């Protein structure tokens, strides 16, 4: 067999918005809007520069039905560039771009091979002695084990299986097309090109079973570098799997330890932590950070009572560090030390406030009183997405977690009554 290389990508989610950023002032709107396309442009450029022999896209190329034909035309142009470089592309549909989801279509360039959804199909590259096997999703929620119907390995070929799956399960990902590692091994393929899981992972090396991760992080759940994998094969054996970074904007969680710190020192602590995060951004890409204030401090109540000003402080600090450092959110997770719980406002009132968070009668009253507010919030702001990583007051109230709401409220009340603020 000859030596060859291929690029394995998945979960590109073309034209998907970067969630949760549009309402934050100062964000780079053009960069956010075009991030998934820019990352895909990087993919096409890298495949061309590296002169890979073919490209695999293992599902969720699109984020859903196209809002307009622009998405399809953009992809056709990108595939045209690969076609001019004589690079074939093997593509299958996942849960987001299943056959039943996409209502629009345009003719792809001749280098694109899209796997059907009725049964597994196989394509061969005779010059390389490569056989690629795969099956697209017919509907978004495929719960059958598709691997069982895949053909056995083609003799005297390097066999690649393409599949959109979470295998036996991955945290945060729906269990679509479930299968086991043994199911994959039973086909005797040389490489399994998987998609659906947005984190890079080499599940196995005998044979290689790989999740490349998505090409562009879209929420605070998708931190760190994102990209694809370039695989080199010699004499029928995988010799290298190189992870290549393709993203154009990166997400980061920044934790600020506020233990024993007075409230007026928190801005300095945020600056130190944000500066460290920016200095660790070796790629130099724009960075969107979520700041979480943690630890035990006597000023916990004052911090919970000033989330808005803390967010403004964090944005001012980030802007002074770099014009490419942005704040997605500030979360106040600090707690009060046990010894500070006894307030100087009287034992009876202190006891009453302390019991508020677990009082079922108070929770019932809150549910009734806040129902019109929650309805108005949903009407004006929209439903909270299921995947939203947000445990703020709105999320807690929407979920009926009144213990969390009352715990935050009592901390703020203690601050006001005792003059912590």
């Amino acid at each position: 067999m000859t030596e060859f290389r291929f690029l394995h990508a998945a979960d590109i989610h073309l034209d998907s918005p970067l969630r949760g950023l549009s309402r934050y002032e100062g964000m780079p709107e053009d960069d956010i809007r075009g991030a998934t396309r820019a990352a895909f442009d990087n993919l096409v450029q890298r495949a061309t520069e590296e002169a890979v022999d073919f490209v695999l896209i293992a599902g969720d190329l699109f984020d859903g039905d196209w809002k307009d034909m622009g998405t399809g035309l953009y992809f056709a142009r990108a595939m045209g560039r690969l076609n001019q470089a004589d690079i074939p592309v093997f593509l299958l549909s996942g849960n987001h771009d299943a056959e039943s989801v996409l209502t629009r279509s345009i003719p792809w360039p001749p280098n694109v091979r899209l796997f059907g959804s009725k049964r597994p199909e196989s394509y061969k590259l005779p010059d390389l002695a490569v056989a690629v096997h795969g099956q697209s999703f017919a509907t978004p929620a495929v719960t059958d084990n598709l691997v069982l119907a895949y053909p056995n390995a083609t003799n005297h070929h390097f066999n690649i299986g393409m599949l959109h799956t979470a295998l036996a399960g991955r945290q945060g990902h729906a269990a679509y097309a479930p299968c086991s590692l043994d199911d994959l091994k039973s086909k005797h393929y040389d490489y399994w090109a998987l998609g659906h899981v947005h984190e890079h992972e080499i599940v196995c090396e005998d044979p290689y079973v790989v999740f490349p991760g998505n090409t562009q992080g879209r929420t605070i759940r998708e931190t760190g570098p994102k990209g694809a994998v370039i695989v080199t094969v010699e004499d029928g054996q995988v010799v290298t799997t190189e992870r290549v970074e393709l993203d154009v904007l990166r997400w980061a969680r920044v934790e600020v330890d506020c233990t024993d710190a007075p409230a007026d020192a928190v801005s300095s602590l945020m600056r130190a932590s944000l500066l460290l995060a920016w200095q660790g951004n070796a790629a130099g890409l724009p960075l969107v950070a979520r700041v979480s204030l943690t630890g035990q401090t006597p000023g916990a109540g004052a911090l919970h009572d000033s989330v808005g000003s803390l967010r403004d402080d964090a944005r001012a600090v980030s802007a002074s560090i770099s014009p490419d450092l942005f704040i997605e959110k500030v979360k106040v997770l600090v707690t009060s030390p046990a010894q500070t719980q006894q307030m100087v406002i009287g034992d009876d009132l202190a006891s009453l406030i302390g019991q508020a968070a677990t009082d079922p009668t108070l929770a019932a009253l809150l549910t009734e009183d806040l129902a019109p507010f929650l309805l108005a919030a949903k009407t004006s702001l929209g439903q909270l997405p299921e995947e939203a990583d947000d445990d703020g007051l709105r999320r807690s109230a929407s979920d009926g977690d009144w213990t969390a709401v009352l715990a935050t409220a009592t901390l703020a009340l203690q601050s006001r009554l005792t003059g912590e603020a």
Side-chain angles (χ1 to χ4, degrees), residues 200-337:
H200 173 260
E201 180 183 358
I202 298 178
V203 180
C204 180
E205 294 185 2
D206 186 23
Y208 271 86
V209 179
V210 178
F211 288 108
N214 56 342
T215 53
Q216 172 60 58
R218 299 175 302 144
T219 76
I220 191 60
R221 287 186 172 187
E222 299 173 353
T223 58
K226 298 294 178 179
V229 174
I230 293 181
V231 182
T232 301
V233 177
E234 294 179 2
D235 297 326
Q237 300 293 321
V238 174
V239 292
T240 62
T241 57
E242 177 192 0
R243 190 184 184 195
V244 293
E245 298 175 5
L246 303 172
D247 51 344
V248 296
L249 182 146
R250 209 157 277 181
W251 300 73
R253 294 178 182 269
V254 177
E255 186 170 305
V256 181
D257 186 359
C258 299
T259 300
D260 296 331
D264 58 5
V266 171
S267 291
S268 296
L269 294 174
M270 288 195 295
R271 176 179 293 277
S273 297
L274 285 167
L275 181 59
L276 190 63
W278 179 251
Q279 290 173 340
N281 179 26
L285 296 177
L287 193 67
V288 180
R290 174 175 290 188
V291 176
S292 295
L293 308 184
T294 63
Q296 289 189 341
T297 173
L303 294 175
H304 279 279
D305 201 29
S306 56
V307 175
S309 61
L310 286 169
R311 182 180 62 245
D312 293 339
D313 289 351
R315 289 176 176 172
V317 167
S318 66
S320 69
I321 293 173
S322 171
D324 288 327
L325 176 61
F326 306 94
I327 303 299
E328 178 253 6
K329 185 177 294 185
V330 174
K331 304 193 74 170
V332 181
L333 306 177
V334 293
T335 58
S336 294

Side-chain angles (χ1 to χ4, degrees), residues 9-13 57-61 164 195-198 213-216:
D11 301 286
I12 293 157
H13 295 276
I57 302 177
D60 286 357
L61 165 66
H164 200 73
H196 184 51
V197 175
H198 288 192
N214 56 342
T215 53
Q216 172 60 58

Side-chain angles (χ1 to χ4, degrees), residues 381-404:
L381 299 177
Q383 295 278 358
L384 282 168
E386 289 297 322
E387 72 275 10
D389 181 16
D390 186 345
D391 58 359
L393 290 179
R394 185 184 169 209
R395 165 59 77 189
S396 298
S398 296
D399 291 345
D401 187 2
W402 298 109
T403 298

Side-chain angles (χ1 to χ4, degrees), residues 50-95:
E50 297 280 350
V52 299
D53 292 278
F54 55 93
V55 170
L56 311 175
I57 302 177
D60 286 357
L61 165 66
F62 303 111
D63 193 53
D65 201 14
W66 308 340
K67 293 182 174 62
D68 55 53
M69 294 301 292
T71 300
L73 292 172
Y74 163 79
F75 178 67
R77 286 193 295 269
M79 293 301 94
R81 296 200 298 275
L82 292 179
N83 187 46
Q84 292 166 14
D86 293 323
I87 299 176
V89 178
F90 298 95
L91 169 67
L92 55 78
S93 301
N95 56 294

